[in-house]
DNA sequence: TGAATGGTTCGGTCTAGACCGAACTATGCG
DNA sequence: CGCATAGTTCGGTCTAGACCGAACCATTCA
């Protein structure tokens, strides 16, 4: 019984932290699976599934079933526009609000994003790989160059050949507004960090804490 | 513990029907009082007061105390931009969603908005008054011209002289995306419609149902 | 075919917050 | 002054919906 279009309904849909985080993750433009989105939002898959159904019904995202994966994307440019406007506004107001505490600082430095490395160090890694010619990026996606493969071999990093996940994928995170590396290669590198003891995941959080020497070794390993 | 700016918080603020209606009402650009906003949203003043405090704290609206009135306005262009984007999106989705039933049709034709006439007939009235030179619109607001006053006198319409409400006010409704006339004059005209039996309010709804002859008389009365 | 993996559905708990009645404060009017 | 009006604050109720454990489909792989 209201006058205009139902702006409250749409806003409420965006107004839940879980859903908002998923939408923000989707703003990279890439299609993500339900599981990845759950991870990104820090909630269980069942909860995420429910959220995604509602977002789909509300016309904010579209679902694309491929095999046993459900890929989600922002529905259209209008939806993206709304999110963009919201992010701009939130960023402006946010400066005064969110004082980045010490804990938060670690989170920005290095954290787990699904199964790969995000945060400052993740972005830096991506940049070095790109600059060093280990990755080649074009419209078709990202591929690991022979030079990159050689480096991984030299380090003793083995890529999971069974998984069907793409080798390399770009993943945008909003703390940096920059891309970092996802996909099988991203995963293998993070596993290597654990295996070498360069860093380890902080219990009950998404933070990856590097040791002093680990941090240096990590940087050196991927410098060209 | 989230990555980007807190878009969920802002969206949640807009995502309540009561608050959303108030914000939509404020999109006319005019400053409205707490009471008017409560009426517009169809909620009690205490509830509205709480909502407005939260909107103010969230930086979506600005409060301006003048005497015992509290005037509210959209905070800035960024906020307006977000609302605009949301309204656009909602309007687009809305077409598919809300199948305009017969009931809905009556609502679009003529309904009560606070205490004045909205909907197609409200917009048409406003246009005729404007075109006929009964209203003069400029930056300072809307004023009733002598010509307009004469017509009201001829029809026997008396304006409430006690009320402190503005004589004329523009009121934007989103079913038409056009303005209609609010304020004391708008109210007096609707009262006149009731008094003459041209139309009456449907019980339990905001619809104003005109009779066949009433509709014709109404149109004739305000044609110049 | 069974096992592993990705998603969904169901059922139950729990909390945030919307709502309103009532009492209170502040401003203006006669 | 007292009265009326505009807003706010407080306290209590009540519901929507977020969350997760567990069970259930669907798809792929060995």
């Amino acid at each position: 019984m209201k006058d205009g279009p139902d702006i409250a309904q749409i806003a409420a849909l965006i107004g839940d932290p879980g859903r908002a985080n998923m939408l923000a993750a989707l703003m990279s433009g890439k299609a993500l699976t339900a599981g990845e989105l759950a991870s990104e939002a820090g909630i269980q898959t069942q909860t995420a599934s429910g959220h995604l159904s509602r977002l789909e019904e509300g016309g904010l995202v579209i679902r694309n079933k491929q095999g046993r994966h459900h890929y989600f994307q922002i529905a259209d440019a209008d939806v993206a526009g709304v999110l963009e406007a919201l992010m701009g506004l939130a960023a402006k107001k946010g400066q005064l609000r969110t004082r980045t505490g010490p804990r938060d600082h670690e989170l920005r430095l290095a954290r787990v994003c699904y199964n790969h490395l995000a945060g400052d160090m993740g972005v830096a890694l991506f940049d070095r790989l790109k600059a060093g010619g280990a990755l080649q990026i074009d419209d078709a996606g990202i591929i690991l160059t022979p030079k990159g493969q050689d480096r991984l071999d030299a380090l003793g990093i083995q890529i999971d050949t069974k998984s069907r996940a793409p080798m390399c994928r770009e993943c945008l995170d909003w703390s940096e507004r920059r891309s970092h590396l996802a996909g099988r290669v991203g995963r293998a590198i993070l596993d290597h960090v654990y295996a070498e003891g360069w860093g380890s995941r902080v219990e009950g959080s998404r933070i990856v804490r590097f040791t002093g020497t680990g941090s240096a070794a990590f940087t050196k390993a991927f410098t060209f």
Side-chain angles (χ1 to χ4, degrees), chain A:
Chain A
M1 199 61 61
K2 43 190 65 70
D3 295 12
D6 201 350
I7 127 177
Q9 191 174 310
I10 296 179
L13 224 37
I14 307 175
D16 173 80
R19 287 194 293 265
N21 282 338
M22 294 199 253
L23 289 170
L26 287 173
M27 280 297 281
S28 68
K30 301 276 178 183
L32 299 176
T33 67
E36 288 172 313
L37 288 167
S39 236
E40 199 67 38
I43 54 182
Q44 300 298 109
T45 57
Q46 324 95 305
T47 308
S49 174
H51 283 321
L52 288 167
S53 294
R54 298 189 63 189
L55 287 175
E56 186 188 14
E57 191 177 5
L60 296 190
V61 304
I62 40 181
R63 181 193 305 250
N64 203 337
K65 296 186 195 176
Q66 275 181 29
R68 58 183 165 186
H69 294 270
H70 292 208
Y71 286 92
F72 291 88
Q73 272 179 289
I74 298 290
D76 57 37
D78 291 289
V79 176
V82 168
L83 291 172
E84 190 63 40
L86 268 171
M87 286 178 158
L89 180 58
K92 216 183 59 171
K93 310 267 182 207
Q95 292 180 343
L96 311 174
R97 189 181 48 81
T98 308
R99 269 287 130 251
T100 55
R103 180 75 176 264
D104 198 8
H105 181 259
E106 277 199 283
L107 204 58
R108 279 169 189 276
L109 183 62
R111 66 172 176 276
V112 172
C113 171
Y114 194 25
N115 54 21
H116 56 267
L117 190 65
D120 271 344
M121 294 195 60
V123 170
L125 169 69
F126 186 61
D127 288 346
R128 275 199 300 276
L129 290 175
K130 208 165 44 176
L135 297 176
Q136 182 185 324
I137 301 168
D138 56 27
D139 290 347
I142 308 178
I143 59 172
L144 187 65
T145 63
K147 182 176 177 187
Q149 182 66 60
D150 288 348
R151 175 61 62 101
L152 291 182
D153 289 342
L155 290 165
I157 298 177
Q158 295 198 350
I159 310 292
D160 176 9
T161 52
K162 291 176 188 168
S163 165
R164 182 114 350 152
M167 284 289 279
C168 300
R169 224 191 65 221
E170 213 165 341
C171 184
L172 188 65
D173 67 70
W174 286 95
S175 70
E176 313 305 325
R177 297 205 171 221
R178 304 271 304 280
S179 291
H180 55 254
L181 186 63
R184 274 184 285 163
V185 174
R187 174 183 202 146
I189 291 178
L190 180 57
D191 288 343
H192 189 67
V193 168
Y194 294 152
E196 293 289 321
W198 291 345
S200 60
R201 183 149 170 197
V202 175
E203 188 71 28
S205 139
R206 295 165 60 194
I207 294 171
V208 175
R209 186 173 289 152
F210 277 72
T211 65
T213 54
S215 180
F218 174 75
T219 304
K220 184 157 172 284
F222 297 105
T223 301
F224 292 81

